PDB file of all heavy atoms in Angstrom:
ATOM      1  N   CYS A 266      39.777 -15.819   3.947  1.00  0.00           N
ATOM      2  CA  CYS A 266      38.579 -16.215   3.182  1.00  0.00           C
ATOM      3  C   CYS A 266      38.471 -15.538   1.818  1.00  0.00           C
ATOM      4  O   CYS A 266      39.121 -14.533   1.541  1.00  0.00           O
ATOM      5  CB  CYS A 266      37.335 -15.900   4.003  1.00  0.00           C
ATOM      6  SG  CYS A 266      37.270 -14.200   4.574  1.00  0.00           S
ATOM      7  N   ASP A 267      37.585 -16.110   0.995  1.00  0.00           N
ATOM      8  CA  ASP A 267      37.291 -15.577  -0.344  1.00  0.00           C
ATOM      9  C   ASP A 267      35.771 -15.342  -0.420  1.00  0.00           C
ATOM     10  O   ASP A 267      35.066 -15.978  -1.187  1.00  0.00           O
ATOM     11  CB  ASP A 267      37.773 -16.533  -1.445  1.00  0.00           C
ATOM     12  CG  ASP A 267      37.109 -17.893  -1.386  1.00  0.00           C
ATOM     13  OD1 ASP A 267      36.712 -18.311  -0.281  1.00  0.00           O
ATOM     14  OD2 ASP A 267      36.965 -18.545  -2.453  1.00  0.00           O
ATOM     15  N   THR A 268      35.297 -14.475   0.415  1.00  0.00           N
ATOM     16  CA  THR A 268      33.853 -14.360   0.705  1.00  0.00           C
ATOM     17  C   THR A 268      33.007 -14.052  -0.509  1.00  0.00           C
ATOM     18  O   THR A 268      33.078 -13.005  -1.079  1.00  0.00           O
ATOM     19  CB  THR A 268      33.652 -13.276   1.806  1.00  0.00           C
ATOM     20  OG1 THR A 268      34.545 -13.602   2.864  1.00  0.00           O
ATOM     21  CG2 THR A 268      32.224 -13.245   2.306  1.00  0.00           C
ATOM     22  N   ASP A 271      29.102 -18.981   1.546  1.00  0.00           N
ATOM     23  CA  ASP A 271      29.333 -19.826   2.730  1.00  0.00           C
ATOM     24  C   ASP A 271      30.418 -19.227   3.627  1.00  0.00           C
ATOM     25  O   ASP A 271      30.341 -19.338   4.851  1.00  0.00           O
ATOM     26  CB  ASP A 271      29.645 -21.280   2.355  1.00  0.00           C
ATOM     27  CG  ASP A 271      30.854 -21.440   1.465  1.00  0.00           C
ATOM     28  OD1 ASP A 271      31.149 -20.527   0.672  1.00  0.00           O
ATOM     29  OD2 ASP A 271      31.514 -22.486   1.555  1.00  0.00           O
ATOM     30  N   ASP A 272      31.397 -18.527   3.032  1.00  0.00           N
ATOM     31  CA  ASP A 272      32.368 -17.784   3.843  1.00  0.00           C
ATOM     32  C   ASP A 272      31.616 -16.762   4.713  1.00  0.00           C
ATOM     33  O   ASP A 272      31.989 -16.535   5.874  1.00  0.00           O
ATOM     34  CB  ASP A 272      33.349 -16.997   2.957  1.00  0.00           C
ATOM     35  CG  ASP A 272      34.033 -17.845   1.920  1.00  0.00           C
ATOM     36  OD1 ASP A 272      33.356 -18.203   0.932  1.00  0.00           O
ATOM     37  OD2 ASP A 272      35.223 -18.151   2.064  1.00  0.00           O
ATOM     38  N   ASN A 296      36.221 -17.226  -4.894  1.00  0.00           N
ATOM     39  CA  ASN A 296      34.826 -17.227  -5.354  1.00  0.00           C
ATOM     40  C   ASN A 296      34.540 -16.037  -6.257  1.00  0.00           C
ATOM     41  O   ASN A 296      33.623 -16.081  -7.091  1.00  0.00           O
ATOM     42  CB  ASN A 296      33.879 -17.180  -4.151  1.00  0.00           C
ATOM     43  CG  ASN A 296      33.849 -18.498  -3.395  1.00  0.00           C
ATOM     44  OD1 ASN A 296      33.858 -19.551  -4.004  1.00  0.00           O
ATOM     45  ND2 ASN A 296      33.823 -18.429  -2.075  1.00  0.00           N
ATOM     46  N   HIS A 348      27.295 -18.432  -5.292  1.00  0.00           N
ATOM     47  CA  HIS A 348      27.808 -17.238  -4.614  1.00  0.00           C
ATOM     48  C   HIS A 348      27.307 -15.942  -5.256  1.00  0.00           C
ATOM     49  O   HIS A 348      26.673 -15.130  -4.601  1.00  0.00           O
ATOM     50  CB  HIS A 348      29.346 -17.228  -4.645  1.00  0.00           C
ATOM     51  CG  HIS A 348      29.959 -18.413  -3.999  1.00  0.00           C
ATOM     52  ND1 HIS A 348      30.045 -18.563  -2.648  1.00  0.00           N
ATOM     53  CD2 HIS A 348      30.510 -19.537  -4.535  1.00  0.00           C
ATOM     54  CE1 HIS A 348      30.630 -19.722  -2.352  1.00  0.00           C
ATOM     55  NE2 HIS A 348      30.917 -20.319  -3.491  1.00  0.00           N
ATOM     56  N   ILE A 386      39.661 -20.630   4.499  1.00  0.00           N
ATOM     57  CA  ILE A 386      38.446 -21.204   3.893  1.00  0.00           C
ATOM     58  C   ILE A 386      38.316 -20.766   2.434  1.00  0.00           C
ATOM     59  O   ILE A 386      37.213 -20.713   1.885  1.00  0.00           O
ATOM     60  CB  ILE A 386      37.184 -20.866   4.735  1.00  0.00           C
ATOM     61  CG1 ILE A 386      37.038 -19.354   4.940  1.00  0.00           C
ATOM     62  CG2 ILE A 386      37.227 -21.587   6.075  1.00  0.00           C
ATOM     63  CD1 ILE A 386      35.751 -18.933   5.674  1.00  0.00           C
ATOM     64  N   GLY A 387      39.468 -20.446   1.840  1.00  0.00           N
ATOM     65  CA  GLY A 387      39.522 -20.107   0.417  1.00  0.00           C
ATOM     66  C   GLY A 387      40.792 -20.740  -0.147  1.00  0.00           C
ATOM     67  O   GLY A 387      41.439 -21.565   0.515  1.00  0.00           O
ATOM     68  N   ASN A 428      38.779 -24.928  -3.554  1.00  0.00           N
ATOM     69  CA  ASN A 428      39.831 -24.156  -2.857  1.00  0.00           C
ATOM     70  C   ASN A 428      41.227 -24.695  -3.163  1.00  0.00           C
ATOM     71  O   ASN A 428      42.186 -23.921  -3.294  1.00  0.00           O
ATOM     72  CB  ASN A 428      39.625 -24.189  -1.338  1.00  0.00           C
ATOM     73  CG  ASN A 428      38.441 -23.345  -0.892  1.00  0.00           C
ATOM     74  OD1 ASN A 428      37.956 -22.495  -1.638  1.00  0.00           O
ATOM     75  ND2 ASN A 428      37.964 -23.606   0.314  1.00  0.00           N
ATOM     76  N   ASP A 506      32.174 -23.630   4.546  1.00  0.00           N
ATOM     77  CA  ASP A 506      33.128 -22.891   5.378  1.00  0.00           C
ATOM     78  C   ASP A 506      32.652 -22.737   6.818  1.00  0.00           C
ATOM     79  O   ASP A 506      33.453 -22.753   7.762  1.00  0.00           O
ATOM     80  CB  ASP A 506      33.385 -21.504   4.761  1.00  0.00           C
ATOM     81  CG  ASP A 506      34.022 -21.608   3.392  1.00  0.00           C
ATOM     82  OD1 ASP A 506      34.661 -22.642   3.108  1.00  0.00           O
ATOM     83  OD2 ASP A 506      33.883 -20.653   2.601  1.00  0.00           O
TER      84      ASP A 506
HETATM   85 CA1  LIG B1926      35.373 -20.101   0.685  1.00  0.00          CA
END
Side-chain angles (χ1 to χ4, degrees):
C266 53
D267 61 332
T268 309
D271 58 330
D272 307 74
N296 288 320
H348 301 283
I386 55 176
N428 288 343
D506 297 336

